[in-house]
Amino acid sequence: MMAGAGGSELRALLGRARKRRGTFGSGAELCQAAVQLLDRHQNLNDLLLEVEDLVKPAGESGKEHQEALSESFIVSVLQEQASRLGVPAAVLAAKNAVTNIEQICQPSASPSQVPLLNLDQRERLSCLLQTVKDLLVNNVFSRSHFCQEIWKMQDLPVLEAVWHLHRGNIIGLGELLESNPDAPAVVEWLCSSLCALCEQAEEPSQDTLRSRFFRMAFSKCQSWEGGVLDAVGKEKQEDVFTLQAMRFWLNVFNVSIYRSAVHPDSLQQFFRHTLTEVLTYNPLLKVSDAIRMQREWSFTRTCSLLTALYRKLFVAFSAKESICQLQQVLETHEVNWQHVLSCVSVLVVCQAEAEQLFKDLLSHLLIKAFENYDMENMITAFLIARQAALEGPAVFMPYSEWFKASFGSAGGQHGSSKKALVFLFEFLSELVPFEVAPYLKVHIMYPPFVPSKHRSILLEYITLAKTRLADLKVAIEDMGLYEDLSSTDEAVQPQGQALRDVEKALQIFENTRKIPTSVIEARRPYYISWFLPALLRPRVLPKAPDVCMAFIDSLKRADKIPSNLYSTYIQACCAMKEKMLQDESKVESSHSKEPIEQLKAELAELRVLIVDQAKHEDVPAQIALISDRLSSVLGHSGDENDTAALSTRIQVNVFDPKLEPCHQSVVDLLLTSFCQNLIAASYFNPPDRQGPCLSLFVKMICGHRRLIPALLGRLCQLIYHQGPSLNDAHILGLAAFVIHLSESRSLIPEVEADLGISQPVAEKVLSISEYWSCLLVCRTKESFSFCTRFCTAAISYLMCKFPSFSRDDLCALVPPSLVKKLQYIVPRLSLEARGITCEEGKADLSWSSLSCPSLNYRRASLCLWKQARFQELLKEKAFQLSFREWLLLELEVHPEEDILSASERQDFHYWAIYQWYLPAPSASGGCDGDLEKACGIIINTILDFSQRLDLGSYGQLKMSVNPDILCKLQELVLELGCRRKSLSGCSDAKSHFLFKILQERLKDRKHNSALGEQLWRQQELLLHRRILVGLPASALIMSCRKGKKTTLDCEDFFHFVNSELKNVCSRGYALPYDITSHFFRGLLNASLDCEEAAEAVNDVLTTCQTKCPIVLLSAVLWWPRLEPVLCSQWKRLFGAPLAGELERLRECQSSATGFLSSGGVFPLSGPPWISAAFLHCTVQQQSPRGRERNLLVSLLFFSLMDLISAKIAPKEGVDFQTSLEWSLEILQCLEERGASWPLLFQSAEKGSRKYFVLHSAASACHSRLLPLAFYSLTPGFDHELLAREQLFLYVALDLYLQLLQLFVEGKDLPRTDQVGQGQDPVEHGDPVEVISKARRFLHAATPRCPARSFGNLGPLLAACDQLDPELGAILRRSGPAAALDLDEELVLF
């Protein structure tokens, strides 16, 4: 029978009963009739719903009578029905009640279940619940069976129905929920119902009802909270279904589901109360437990239930509000330290603003602690600082940095008074029994600042800390050379730390080829007991010595490895080679694939979160998991969080970056993930709507400092070596990655880039921004294209990512090198850009268009160039490309592979120099319109650039000066000369600007070694010579007005030659042909400005004889090549006979040639040394026979210069043996004539000015090597020479001491590897053999010298005693009598 039919029939029956009163004699008869009727229809469900109709208002007495009648009626029916079915009446009532509820809650039309009832359903449910209450009063209703039947319903009940059951005290929500053993299903039903309730359309009439529902649900949520928090501590023991239920329950705290259903204040109040309950739940852990165990409560190690709960709670608050709530709980409650510190970790990982907020909180806690000497605030500050530091430097400063910043200076809170200082150390001392080793090491190595008068307090604490370390079996003496003092891992055993120290030392040695200072100064116990055993681990030695072998060899030579230990090592290596040769392939163990696969899985999960903007809040936690997986892949290393790592430069070999295979695979995985994430996120949203996900990802990578060298090395490979071959997606990804690296630049140490050049080390140290400039080179068409695309993508991404940044914020983030590259490239490639300053709003910067693969990169760069924000950047000094920087970039271009044609490049240079930089103010990198300043910048830049190049062969550069830039320099120099003449009629400058520039470059240059200084100076002067030769010849000479006469001034050129240029001349007494010819051609050109050209030339050459004789000697040496050039030029310019001094030089050449060919008398014309020079040079060129010897002493000097040149510059074409034979012949001629020649070897500084002109013409190097030449002549020394020349012994001893000093200093002496096999080393100038020969000569000659030869040896004896004590003793034994004789002779005078 249908429910409706049954109801109407029952009403009809009751109605008829009222009409036929006489049929039933009593109420009992009526009940009996009703029971019989029900028996026929059997529908208790309808009865429970319809019985309420019996209760009609009929006065109080009537109502009470009818209610009693109704109750007894229902009970009677249930009991009768139950007895027939054989079940308890209470069970039957419960089952029928559930059936009714299921029918009532059944949705009418909506396919999805809704949490609220309509009016009809609500009325029917009210009738049912009234009946159930009556049954409960009569104990004819089973709550337990009712709960069981509820959960058996096909569709679980509507939330409002459950609320009515709860509100009517029929069955409580808690009792109902806990009666279901399937916890996940219960949680899912409740959470989904609450979510559906929030999604209901807003109706004012439902607000009160909805609020009541939430209060009921939240009260139950709080009762479940304890269950979740209990599960936190035993997550691994709980069954999977319980954990699943707990995780689903956390959905109750999804703020998004409540929307406007709950007032924000009420929601925050509930969340705040929940957070307080979590932080104070079961506060049993002591502070000592927290100190000992807190590293187990880091973000990745904390129970996922707890971290998920925190993250959901924090959505309702800002970071500041969350930390304020945490602070309030700490100040007012007993807390669960595990929950508090886990909360700190979650905040610092998931909230970008938390780092600074926690720093402020820590400062506040320390201030309060020292104000009131409160230990609680102190311990809270220390625990929070350590907990935040556990999450790595990417999110919070290492503990060692915080400790140093807080207590490392007198400005710390502890520095205010002695009481404060004592309070700090009392606190630290109380921590000691519970401390772990890493924190004790921080306190010892970076102790708090203590005034000297209170030093004993610090020493007492250090003693206590060392005792604790000893208890932990960690000796401070065993601390590693590069040990991490802020590591969050457990204390590393000395064996492990020693292995890391060896790895670090090898890395430093590989880059510097020097034993690291830390190794040399290492504590002996650690060095002997741990470091050396770790270094000398037996292995199969490679055929070619590797870095490790070279390092061991260097230590052995420095006596840093005991001989027995070294022998044992070699023997063990040989034994291992014999035993393990067949297993060599197994030596290199590969990393477990499992951590890599886990890392890949987490990276894939990150991509899912990044592309969904609604899931961005989960990104920080996912990145923390990735960081943990990355640590597992890399292996836990103490160096990755080391504070000292920030000051340890990263070494990258730009030309050949080498990466460990394991590190390269990890870096590639991370870079690939970043690029994929960027492209995927950009598909859905522009950069400014992608959130901080990518920034956090890159910051996390930078926190793994062990990976940074590999990361920078890989970026070097991709950008510097493979850049032009990268596709657009790669370029976009890497460009964005570089921008985010700049965001995290504070985490990246300086880069020491090995550029394969000879510049000073200080110039190799680069910031991360300068490192990008080093990698982004513009040399060829391909590299120009890549650099343009990369820089355009990077700056465009930055501006699209941070469109609301102010100019200051943008400037702080933009890498200046990228802006400067664009400032160089865009005007170079686009004529349009050369006239643009700012066109606001003319072209919008669209990321979607910039990320289009088919976009023309020139058009994209021009679009960026036109942006007002970009033009605003160019006004900042830090981003302005100076003239010098522009020149350096232009000098790198390979003209034959340039993206511009020769004519286009010429036009660009003209615009850049004459239209842009020359008139530009110096404040913006220009020249203020000053031609001289422009010339100086160009010259200095060319020289700086050229110094970066290695020398190929001696004196020859691999790469010549850029001809286009040199051409512009020539134009400027000519224009400068013309302008000066037009202004004053003649140039009247006090000094030549060109030589002033060159001289300034040679001042105050600091190098690490004297040899480095010498080599740099040689190369610099060679470059100076190339610059001078490249300029107009007349630029070397200035003209000046004296009265009405114009004269030529070469003083600056002469000074430069005498002081610098002659010292790099391989021939010793003559300049190279190029600069010699250039000077003489310039001299003739400059004489055009003089009224009497021949007279002006004669004056200059006459001045040369005394002020710069090397110029004339150079002309003599190169006269066969120089004469036709000068004669032709003179004829072109003047058409008159040669100037007198030039004609005299030609006559000397002719005389020398005639003398050597005819054997007649050699005519003397002018200074004898010029004639000797012509004679010497002619002899060298013609190799004559049967010579007459005149001017022999000067001739001997020139031959000795050739002798030295043959040793130090063998490629100059001078043969050593020929020069030696020629010198010995000259010496023999001098001896035959009894001529005095020893003073030729004495410089003017030592009292002999007889040969000053000759010495002034020689280079400093040749002058220093005169002792080598002197003792190469010993076979030609005659025995009579000792008696004839009183000064011979003095000269010989002085030269011997100079020779020893050169050998000791290791300077100037030629190498010994040029002495051929089977040749006499002495005859070929081998330094060691020459020194031995000289020593034997002096030992033999000293006893034969007359007594007067010893009289002037006094100043030399002290040096002789130091360098050769044996010879000094011989000289002293031979000297006294001679000294007495000399004194007697001196008295006669």
Side-chain angles (χ1 to χ4, degrees):
M1 184 180 293
M2 296 298 293
S8 61
E9 191 169 339
L10 181 59
R11 285 193 293 271
L13 177 62
L14 294 175
R16 286 197 300 270
R18 286 191 288 271
K19 291 179 181 179
R20 300 177 182 178
R21 293 180 181 177
T23 306
F24 302 102
S26 66
E29 292 177 359
L30 179 61
C31 287
Q32 182 65 31
V35 170
Q36 290 175 358
L37 179 63
L38 289 172
D39 284 342
R40 290 197 300 270
H41 296 288
Q42 296 293 319
N43 196 330
L44 274 176
N45 297 333
D46 289 335
L47 178 64
L48 295 177
L49 290 172
E50 301 280 353
V51 72
E52 183 68 19
D53 291 340
L54 295 174
V55 183
K56 300 294 182 182
E60 291 300 323
S61 60
K63 183 177 180 181
E64 292 175 0
H65 173 74
Q66 289 180 358
E67 287 178 354
L69 178 64
S70 174
E71 291 174 10
S72 61
F73 175 74
I74 296 299
V75 171
S76 298
V77 173
L78 283 172
Q79 289 174 344
E80 180 68 22
Q81 185 75 4
S83 64
R84 292 188 180 192
L85 297 175
V87 296
V91 174
L92 182 61
K95 294 179 68 173
N96 282 275
V98 170
T99 303
N100 273 283
I101 290 175
E102 188 171 13
Q103 291 176 353
I104 292 170
C105 294
Q106 185 174 5
S108 57
S110 177
S112 59
Q113 187 177 14
V114 293
L116 298 178
L117 302 173
N118 57 36
L119 290 175
D120 179 62
Q121 290 172 322
R122 203 169 287 143
E123 288 180 1
R124 294 166 62 194
L125 180 63
S126 178
C127 294
L128 175 64
L129 296 184
Q130 182 60 44
T131 302
V132 172
K133 289 181 182 178
D134 295 340
L135 295 177
L136 283 171
V137 172
N138 291 281
N139 293 323
V140 193
F141 189 83
S142 173
R143 280 190 173 93
S144 61
H145 284 83
F146 178 80
C147 292
Q148 294 174 12
E149 294 299 324
I150 279 285
W151 298 118
K152 292 178 182 179
M153 290 171 56
Q154 184 176 357
D155 294 322
L156 294 178
V158 173
L159 182 61
E160 184 178 348
V162 175
W163 175 71
H164 283 296
L165 291 171
H166 176 82
R167 182 188 176 198
N169 294 323
I170 295 171
I171 189 76
L173 178 62
E175 183 181 356
L176 179 63
L177 297 179
E178 291 169 3
S179 65
N180 191 344
D182 188 1
V186 175
V187 173
E188 182 179 0
W189 167 78
L190 178 59
C191 293
S192 59
S193 297
L194 289 172
C195 293
L197 180 62
C198 293
E199 292 168 0
Q200 286 278 58
E202 293 188 25
E203 299 179 14
S205 60
Q206 295 179 354
D207 286 348
T208 303
L209 187 60
R210 187 183 291 116
S211 299
R212 291 174 180 175
F213 289 166
F214 281 126
R215 283 198 295 271
M216 173 193 72
F218 289 163
S219 65
K220 182 55 192 171
C221 290
Q222 291 178 12
S223 68
W224 276 1
E225 211 172 84
V228 173
L229 297 178
D230 287 334
V232 166
K234 47 184 179 180
E235 183 178 16
K236 296 182 180 179
Q237 289 86 23
E238 292 283 2
D239 62 274
V240 66
F241 297 106
T242 302
L243 292 177
Q244 183 181 355
M246 296 301 178
R247 291 192 183 95
F248 202 91
W249 171 82
L250 292 178
N251 290 327
V252 172
F253 295 98
N254 285 344
V255 173
S256 59
I257 68 175
Y258 303 114
R259 296 183 182 174
S260 59
V262 179
H263 193 278
D265 292 341
S266 301
L267 190 63
Q268 278 201 348
Q269 182 180 359
F270 169 66
F271 275 37
R272 190 176 291 110
H273 174 74
T274 302
L275 179 59
T276 302
E277 290 294 319
V278 173
L279 296 177
T280 59
Y281 180 79
N282 199 16
L284 299 178
L285 289 172
K286 300 177 181 177
V287 169
S288 58
D289 299 324
I291 294 172
R292 180 170 42 85
M293 300 170 60
Q294 70 177 125
R295 65 179 299 273
E296 298 297 330
W297 303 333
S298 64
F299 182 84
T300 55
R301 298 188 183 189
T302 296
C303 170
S304 59
L305 290 174
L306 188 57
T307 57
L309 175 59
Y310 282 138
R311 287 166 53 202
K312 291 179 183 295
L313 292 176
F314 294 150
V315 173
F317 311 105
S318 66
K320 185 175 182 179
E321 290 172 335
S322 300
I323 294 177
C324 287
Q325 179 63 20
L326 173 64
Q327 181 181 355
Q328 182 181 355
V329 172
L330 288 169
E331 291 175 350
T332 58
H333 293 75
E334 289 290 328
V335 296
N336 182 318
W337 281 110
Q338 179 182 1
H339 294 178
V340 167
L341 296 180
S342 299
C343 176
V344 171
S345 286
V346 174
L347 276 170
V348 81
V349 167
C350 298
Q351 300 281 0
E353 309 89 353
E355 180 178 11
Q356 186 57 49
L357 292 171
F358 271 120
K359 289 180 181 177
D360 297 340
L361 174 60
L362 292 173
S363 299
H364 171 73
L365 290 172
L366 289 180
I367 290 172
K368 288 186 64 177
F370 280 95
E371 281 179 354
N372 305 315
Y373 301 104
D374 181 6
M375 288 288 186
E376 288 190 9
N377 282 313
M378 282 291 283
I379 192 59
T380 302
F382 271 70
L383 286 175
I384 291 177
R386 293 179 180 184
Q387 190 68 29
L390 287 174
E391 304 307 328
V395 294
F396 197 81
M397 65 169 68
Y399 174 72
S400 55
E401 284 189 19
W402 175 80
F403 190 79
K404 286 192 294 181
S406 301
F407 307 109
S409 66
Q413 295 294 327
H414 68 295
S416 59
S417 64
K418 180 181 178 181
K419 185 176 180 181
L421 187 67
V422 171
F423 168 70
L424 172 63
F425 280 102
E426 283 182 354
F427 168 75
L428 293 176
S429 300
E430 288 189 14
L431 293 185
V432 167
F434 314 104
E435 290 277 39
V436 292
Y439 297 125
L440 289 172
K441 291 180 180 179
V442 169
H443 299 167
I444 293 174
M445 300 305 292
Y446 304 116
F449 171 81
V450 176
S452 55
K453 60 182 178 180
H454 301 313
R455 195 73 177 168
S456 59
I457 301 175
L458 172 62
L459 296 178
E460 183 178 348
Y461 169 75
I462 290 177
T463 303
L464 184 63
K466 288 185 176 181
T467 304
R468 170 64 177 166
L469 285 174
D471 294 340
L472 296 172
K473 298 182 179 178
V474 178
I476 197 71
E477 292 78 9
D478 290 338
M479 283 181 62
L481 308 181
Y482 309 100
E483 183 169 345
D484 174 20
L485 295 179
S486 60
S487 173
T488 61
D489 296 333
E490 292 180 353
V492 181
Q493 294 300 315
Q495 299 93 325
Q497 184 61 48
L499 292 175
R500 296 173 187 172
D501 288 343
V502 167
E503 180 182 355
K504 184 70 174 178
L506 287 175
Q507 182 184 9
I508 296 174
F509 178 79
E510 182 178 12
N511 287 278
T512 65
R513 287 294 165 182
K514 295 180 180 179
I515 300 174
T517 306
S518 55
V519 175
I520 295 174
E521 299 175 354
R523 297 175 298 279
R524 182 169 178 80
Y526 173 79
Y527 179 78
I528 296 296
S529 301
W530 302 110
F531 184 82
L532 283 183
L535 175 64
L536 302 177
R537 287 178 298 162
R539 63 185 181 119
V540 179
L541 298 177
K543 294 181 180 179
D546 59 3
V547 176
C548 184
M549 293 177 65
F551 183 52
I552 292 172
D553 184 59
S554 296
L555 289 174
K556 181 70 171 63
R557 284 187 278 105
D559 293 329
K560 296 291 290 182
I561 300 179
S563 300
N564 58 341
L565 190 60
Y566 181 78
S567 302
T568 304
Y569 166 69
I570 296 298
Q571 293 172 4
C573 291
C574 294
M576 180 171 286
K577 183 176 181 179
E578 295 175 0
K579 288 183 178 182
M580 302 181 63
L581 193 57
Q582 66 275 17
D583 298 328
E584 186 175 3
S585 61
K586 299 180 182 180
V587 172
E588 297 181 1
S589 60
S590 62
H591 287 271
S592 170
K593 291 184 179 180
E594 184 180 356
I596 280 286
E597 296 303 323
Q598 292 177 353
L599 178 60
K600 289 180 180 178
E602 299 296 350
L603 290 172
E605 179 64 23
L606 177 65
R607 193 174 313 123
V608 175
L609 300 177
I610 285 180
V611 297
D612 188 350
Q613 198 168 6
K615 297 181 179 179
H616 281 182
E617 63 182 28
D618 297 329
V619 168
Q622 184 63 25
I623 288 176
L625 290 176
I626 293 172
S627 178
D628 187 60
R629 300 292 183 266
L630 188 56
S631 297
S632 300
V633 171
L634 297 175
H636 294 284
S637 170
D639 285 334
E640 68 182 36
N641 291 326
D642 190 7
T643 304
L646 276 176
S647 59
T648 302
R649 294 167 183 159
I650 296 175
Q651 283 129 4
V652 179
N653 186 333
V654 174
F655 288 115
D656 186 21
K658 295 179 180 178
L659 282 74
E660 296 181 17
C662 59
H663 282 180
Q664 179 168 340
S665 64
V666 173
V667 170
D668 284 345
L669 186 61
L670 295 172
L671 290 177
T672 301
S673 175
F674 178 89
C675 294
Q676 291 175 344
N677 291 337
L678 174 68
I679 299 300
S682 298
Y683 182 81
F684 297 98
N685 296 298
D688 59 316
R689 294 174 56 194
Q690 293 171 11
C693 308
L694 296 176
S695 297
L696 294 175
F697 182 74
V698 175
K699 194 174 183 182
M700 177 274 296
I701 294 175
C702 294
H704 292 267
R705 293 179 184 166
R706 187 183 178 195
L707 194 62
I708 293 180
L711 176 66
L712 297 185
R714 185 59 176 148
L715 289 174
C716 175
Q717 291 178 344
L718 292 171
I719 297 175
Y720 185 85
H721 294 277
Q722 304 171 25
S725 63
L726 298 178
N727 61 33
D728 291 313
H730 289 148
I731 292 175
L732 281 173
L734 289 176
F737 190 83
V738 163
I739 293 300
H740 287 299
L741 276 181
S742 295
E743 271 192 290
S744 304
R745 60 188 176 275
S746 61
L747 298 174
I748 303 175
E750 291 179 324
V751 181
E752 188 171 327
D754 183 0
L755 305 174
I757 57 180
S758 56
Q759 61 182 352
V761 173
E763 295 180 13
K764 295 183 188 177
V765 178
L766 310 172
S767 67
I768 191 65
S769 176
E770 294 166 335
Y771 182 63
W772 306 137
S773 179
C774 174
L775 300 186
L776 291 166
V777 294
C778 299
R779 296 171 182 166
T780 64
K781 181 178 181 180
E782 292 77 14
S783 61
F784 264 107
S785 172
F786 167 72
C787 191
T788 307
R789 293 159 66 199
F790 187 93
C791 294
T792 301
I795 303 302
S796 300
Y797 174 79
L798 177 71
M799 291 189 169
C800 292
K801 179 72 175 176
F802 308 105
S804 61
F805 270 28
S806 65
R807 187 200 295 187
D808 292 339
D809 293 336
L810 206 60
C811 291
L813 192 56
V814 177
S817 57
L818 301 186
V819 178
K820 289 182 178 181
K821 289 286 183 183
L822 284 176
Q823 201 174 354
Y824 166 68
I825 294 173
V826 178
R828 199 176 197 275
L829 302 184
S830 173
L831 290 173
E832 186 179 354
R834 298 176 193 174
I836 293 177
T837 55
C838 179
E839 298 186 15
E840 175 109 34
K842 190 169 182 177
D844 294 330
L845 191 62
S846 170
W847 174 250
S848 58
S849 63
L850 288 168
S851 58
C852 177
S854 60
L855 182 71
N856 180 285
Y857 68 89
R858 289 198 185 192
R859 188 163 63 251
S861 62
L862 188 59
C863 172
L864 174 62
W865 183 267
K866 294 178 180 180
Q867 292 299 306
R869 293 183 75 201
F870 185 80
Q871 290 295 324
E872 287 295 320
L873 278 181
L874 299 185
K875 296 177 182 178
E876 296 292 328
K877 186 174 181 61
F879 300 104
Q880 291 172 351
L881 185 72
S882 67
F883 187 30
R884 179 182 184 277
E885 291 170 328
W886 179 87
L887 285 167
L888 285 173
L889 291 171
E890 195 62 35
L891 288 169
E892 285 191 351
V893 178
H894 298 168
E896 66 280 1
E897 301 178 72
D898 191 5
I899 196 170
L900 300 180
S901 65
S903 59
E904 290 173 331
R905 186 169 58 253
Q906 187 176 6
D907 292 341
F908 173 61
H909 287 173
Y910 181 87
W911 170 83
I913 295 176
Y914 289 102
Q915 293 182 233
W916 186 252
Y917 284 111
L918 185 58
S922 57
S924 61
C927 305
D928 295 317
D930 189 341
L931 286 175
E932 187 172 312
K933 186 174 184 178
C935 291
I937 293 175
I938 295 177
I939 292 172
N940 280 306
T941 306
I942 290 176
L943 292 173
D944 288 338
F945 177 78
S946 300
Q947 272 285 9
R948 300 179 179 184
L949 307 175
D950 284 332
L951 287 174
S953 56
Y954 186 84
Q956 295 180 348
L957 286 172
K958 289 182 179 179
M959 186 174 181
S960 60
V961 177
N962 187 301
D964 296 315
I965 300 300
L966 187 60
C967 179
K968 288 294 179 285
L969 176 61
Q970 293 169 348
E971 292 176 10
L972 292 172
V973 170
L974 282 175
E975 184 179 350
L976 183 61
C978 294
R979 186 171 65 88
R980 285 180 170 175
K981 292 176 184 177
S982 64
L983 290 175
S984 61
C986 203
S987 179
D988 297 319
K990 295 181 180 179
S991 61
H992 198 305
F993 83 96
L994 185 60
F995 297 108
K996 182 179 179 181
I997 294 171
L998 299 181
Q999 291 280 11
E1000 284 294 326
R1001 287 185 58 85
L1002 297 171
K1003 293 180 180 178
D1004 302 326
R1005 288 283 178 166
K1006 296 180 180 179
H1007 291 264
N1008 294 332
S1009 66
L1011 180 60
E1013 164 69 20
Q1014 180 183 351
L1015 294 175
W1016 177 87
R1017 203 173 190 86
Q1018 287 179 356
Q1019 183 170 338
E1020 178 76 6
L1021 289 170
L1022 290 173
L1023 294 169
H1024 288 189
R1025 196 187 83 207
R1026 295 177 65 83
I1027 292 290
L1028 293 175
V1029 172
L1031 295 176
S1034 57
L1036 302 183
I1037 299 166
M1038 295 176 62
S1039 57
C1040 58
R1041 176 75 72 179
K1042 291 185 177 180
K1044 296 182 179 182
K1045 184 178 180 182
T1046 301
T1047 60
L1048 301 180
D1049 183 5
C1050 302
E1051 287 293 328
D1052 292 318
F1053 177 75
F1054 290 164
H1055 175 72
F1056 184 70
V1057 170
N1058 287 328
S1059 61
E1060 305 295 348
L1061 206 56
K1062 75 175 184 181
N1063 294 326
V1064 291
C1065 299
S1066 56
R1067 296 299 292 265
Y1069 61 89
L1071 301 173
Y1073 172 75
D1074 56 1
I1075 190 65
T1076 303
S1077 172
H1078 205 59
F1079 168 74
F1080 276 93
R1081 288 189 295 108
L1083 177 62
L1084 300 192
N1085 285 336
S1087 66
L1088 283 171
D1089 296 331
C1090 301
E1091 294 77 8
E1092 296 292 336
E1095 182 181 350
V1097 171
N1098 290 336
D1099 290 343
V1100 170
L1101 296 181
T1102 302
T1103 304
C1104 276
Q1105 295 180 12
T1106 55
K1107 292 192 174 182
C1108 195
I1110 192 174
V1111 171
L1112 291 177
L1113 293 176
S1114 303
V1116 170
L1117 176 63
W1118 306 113
W1119 189 255
R1121 293 172 60 184
L1122 188 61
E1123 180 187 8
V1125 174
L1126 298 182
C1127 291
S1128 173
Q1129 184 179 359
W1130 185 269
K1131 185 176 181 180
R1132 287 196 315 272
L1133 295 175
F1134 306 106
L1138 275 177
E1141 290 299 321
L1142 291 176
E1143 182 63 34
R1144 183 176 290 110
L1145 291 176
R1146 190 161 67 172
E1147 290 174 356
C1148 286
Q1149 168 67 19
S1150 177
S1151 300
T1153 304
F1155 167 71
L1156 292 175
S1157 60
S1158 64
V1161 177
F1162 185 72
L1164 290 177
S1165 176
W1169 51 270
I1170 295 182
S1171 301
F1174 269 112
L1175 184 60
H1176 170 75
C1177 294
T1178 306
V1179 168
Q1180 295 298 317
Q1181 294 157 7
Q1182 298 182 3
S1183 301
R1185 299 179 182 177
R1187 305 156 185 157
E1188 179 66 29
R1189 308 301 182 217
N1190 287 318
L1191 313 174
L1192 293 177
V1193 175
S1194 297
L1195 205 55
L1196 176 62
F1197 179 82
F1198 295 127
S1199 67
L1200 292 176
M1201 293 296 103
D1202 279 350
L1203 185 71
I1204 296 170
S1205 297
K1207 285 306 300 175
I1208 65 175
K1211 294 183 181 180
E1212 291 295 319
V1214 181
D1215 181 68
F1216 178 83
Q1217 190 61 33
T1218 302
S1219 299
L1220 179 61
E1221 292 174 356
W1222 174 231
S1223 300
L1224 289 173
E1225 286 189 39
I1226 297 174
L1227 185 61
Q1228 183 179 356
C1229 291
L1230 288 170
E1231 287 299 313
E1232 290 173 355
R1233 287 161 177 73
S1236 177
W1237 55 267
L1239 287 179
L1240 181 66
F1241 293 88
Q1242 287 287 291
S1243 64
E1245 290 80 2
K1246 298 199 174 182
S1248 174
R1249 300 189 58 85
K1250 185 175 182 180
Y1251 303 106
F1252 170 74
V1253 173
L1254 293 175
H1255 281 284
S1256 65
S1259 73
C1261 180
H1262 282 71
S1263 298
R1264 285 193 297 270
L1265 289 179
L1266 276 175
L1268 182 67
F1270 178 85
Y1271 281 105
S1272 297
L1273 301 177
T1274 51
F1277 291 166
D1278 190 272
H1279 292 298
E1280 296 180 359
L1281 183 64
L1282 302 176
R1284 186 178 72 248
E1285 292 288 346
Q1286 177 179 347
L1287 292 176
F1288 179 80
L1289 181 60
Y1290 177 86
V1291 172
L1293 180 60
D1294 185 28
L1295 294 175
Y1296 173 68
L1297 295 177
Q1298 292 180 39
L1299 194 61
L1300 288 178
Q1301 193 65 38
L1302 287 175
F1303 184 78
V1304 170
E1305 294 176 357
K1307 295 194 303 184
D1308 297 323
L1309 285 177
R1311 299 188 307 271
T1312 61
D1313 56 1
Q1314 297 171 354
V1315 179
Q1317 187 176 1
Q1319 297 174 331
D1320 185 359
V1322 178
E1323 293 181 357
H1324 282 75
D1326 175 57
V1328 177
E1329 292 299 327
V1330 170
I1331 290 174
S1332 300
K1333 183 72 174 179
R1335 191 168 188 272
R1336 291 193 296 271
F1337 173 78
L1338 286 173
H1339 276 242
T1342 299
R1344 301 178 183 176
C1345 290
R1348 56 194 176 91
S1349 298
F1350 295 89
N1352 51 359
L1353 297 183
L1356 302 179
L1357 290 178
C1360 186
D1361 291 338
Q1362 184 179 0
L1363 294 173
D1364 191 343
E1366 184 180 354
L1367 179 60
I1370 294 174
L1371 291 170
R1372 291 183 185 281
R1373 286 197 301 270
S1374 305
L1380 181 59
D1381 294 342
L1382 181 62
D1383 290 341
E1384 291 173 353
E1385 292 178 6
L1386 290 175
V1387 171
L1388 295 176
F1389 289 90

